[in-house]
């Protein structure tokens, strides 16, 4: 019975890794489209988003089977419960990436001096998603804690971008709408970082049994 349960837990980890990889992929594709100002690169975003949604349903079903058909001990129960929480945040990461994709066609006019910062912010967000999922699969509390520290980096980028764009709006009010759209993109990247932090916090719960919001 336990061997069957362990097989299903291994499958859960596999599915979580795949969902995390899809989240990385959708952010990467959106970031490339933004950096290169190329709307053709947006064509696959919706399909990746749909795949993330399907993966969420698959993992949810697997978790419920593990809970109902097996008899998980406390640590296993925490891991399964954490996975259910994590997939909600991963699905929202996909949604935020799609929100960015919808804005990109409206910021095609010209590059601005925040482009490099947005690119670095996007890369930092991807890193957080990767580390949070890796922390879950490896049950690595130290790595989960690193995600929280990385969120400070993303927040710092957002503050710098916001300040720069406010200055741009003041100096070039005729381009205000474009700058406001870029600020919204930065806000979505910040939210992606917040969701990755949530994932890391649930990793902490799966390991320690204590959920410490904002502190791992």
């Amino acid at each position: 019975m336990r061997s069957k349960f362990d097989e299903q837990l291994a499958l859960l980890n596999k599915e979580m890794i795949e969902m995390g990889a899809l989240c990385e992929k959708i952010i990467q594709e959106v970031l490339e489209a933004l950096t290169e100002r190329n709307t053709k690169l947006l064509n696959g975003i919706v399909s990746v988003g749909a795949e993330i949604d399907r993966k969420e349903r698959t993992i949810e079903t697997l978790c419920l089977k593990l809970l109902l058909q097996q008899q998980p001990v406390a640590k296993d129960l925490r891991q399964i419960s954490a996975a259910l929480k994590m997939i909600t945040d991963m699905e929202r990461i996909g949604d935020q990436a799609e929100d960015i994709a919808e804005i990109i066609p409206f910021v095609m006019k010209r590059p601005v001096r925040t482009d490099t910062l947005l690119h670095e912010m996007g890369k930092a967000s991807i890193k957080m998603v990767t580390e949070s999922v890796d922390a879950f699969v490896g049950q690595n509390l130290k790595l989960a804690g690193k995600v929280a520290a990385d969120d400070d980096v993303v927040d710092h980028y957002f503050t710098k971008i916001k300040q720069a764009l406010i200055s741009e709006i003041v100096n070039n009010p005729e381009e205000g709408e474009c700058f406001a759209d870029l600020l919204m993109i930065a806000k979505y990247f910040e939210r992606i970082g917040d969701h990755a932090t949530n994932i890391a916090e649930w990793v902490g719960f799966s390991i320690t049994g204590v959920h410490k919001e904002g502190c791992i």
Side-chain angles (χ1 to χ4, degrees):
M1 180 68 75
R2 180 68 203 187
S3 61
K4 177 66 174 177
F5 183 76
D6 288 340
E7 287 177 9
Q8 291 179 314
L9 274 182
L11 177 59
L12 174 60
N13 285 345
K14 176 177 176 291
E15 296 286 353
M16 293 291 290
I17 292 171
E18 290 178 359
M19 188 172 182
L22 287 169
C23 290
E24 293 172 50
K25 180 180 180 181
I26 197 170
I27 304 169
Q28 184 64 51
E29 290 184 359
V30 164
L31 186 58
E32 288 178 10
L34 175 64
T35 302
E36 299 176 20
R37 293 295 198 272
N38 187 345
T39 55
K40 291 181 180 179
L41 296 175
L42 298 175
N43 294 336
I45 299 298
V46 174
S47 61
V48 178
E51 199 170 348
I52 289 173
D53 292 342
R54 287 194 294 272
K55 187 66 71 173
E56 180 191 25
R57 292 191 292 271
T58 298
I59 293 173
E60 188 177 59
T61 299
L62 177 58
C63 287
L64 292 176
K65 284 182 178 179
L66 283 165
L67 291 172
L68 295 173
Q69 297 178 3
Q70 307 292 341
Q71 294 180 331
V73 296
K75 188 176 186 304
D76 297 329
L77 186 59
R78 291 199 304 269
Q79 188 172 354
I80 296 166
S81 300
L84 284 168
K85 294 289 187 179
M86 289 168 63
I87 59 175
T88 298
D89 279 295
M90 284 197 276
E91 189 272 336
R92 288 175 182 167
I93 285 170
D95 288 345
Q96 303 291 343
E98 289 185 275
D99 289 336
I100 293 172
E102 290 178 2
I103 297 174
I104 289 176
F106 298 100
V107 296
M108 299 294 289
K109 297 178 183 178
R110 63 185 179 89
V112 295
R113 63 191 179 97
T114 56
D115 278 2
T116 300
L117 287 173
L118 278 170
H119 181 73
E120 293 303 316
M121 188 180 187
K123 289 199 303 182
S125 300
I126 294 170
K127 180 184 177 186
M128 288 181 67
V129 174
T130 302
E131 289 177 344
S132 62
V133 177
D134 286 349
F136 173 78
V137 174
Q139 291 292 279
N140 188 328
L141 190 61
K142 184 178 180 180
L143 185 57
K146 186 176 183 300
V147 174
D150 288 342
D151 191 43
D152 291 337
V153 175
V154 172
D155 289 345
H156 179 66
Y157 277 126
F158 177 72
T159 298
K160 290 181 69 175
I161 291 168
K162 181 174 68 174
Q163 291 171 345
L165 288 172
I166 289 173
S167 177
E168 292 278 16
I169 291 171
V170 171
N171 295 324
N172 303 282
E174 71 280 1
E175 298 286 349
E177 189 172 348
C178 178
F179 296 137
D181 285 336
L182 287 167
L183 182 57
M184 184 58 68
I185 288 174
K187 186 63 180 178
Y188 284 135
F189 277 132
E190 183 197 35
R191 289 177 182 172
I192 287 171
D194 290 342
H195 288 305
T197 300
N198 289 344
I199 293 170
E201 288 170 356
W202 284 110
V203 171
F205 167 78
S206 72
I207 297 170
T208 66
V210 178
H211 181 257
K212 297 182 179 180
E213 187 172 348
C215 180
I216 299 174

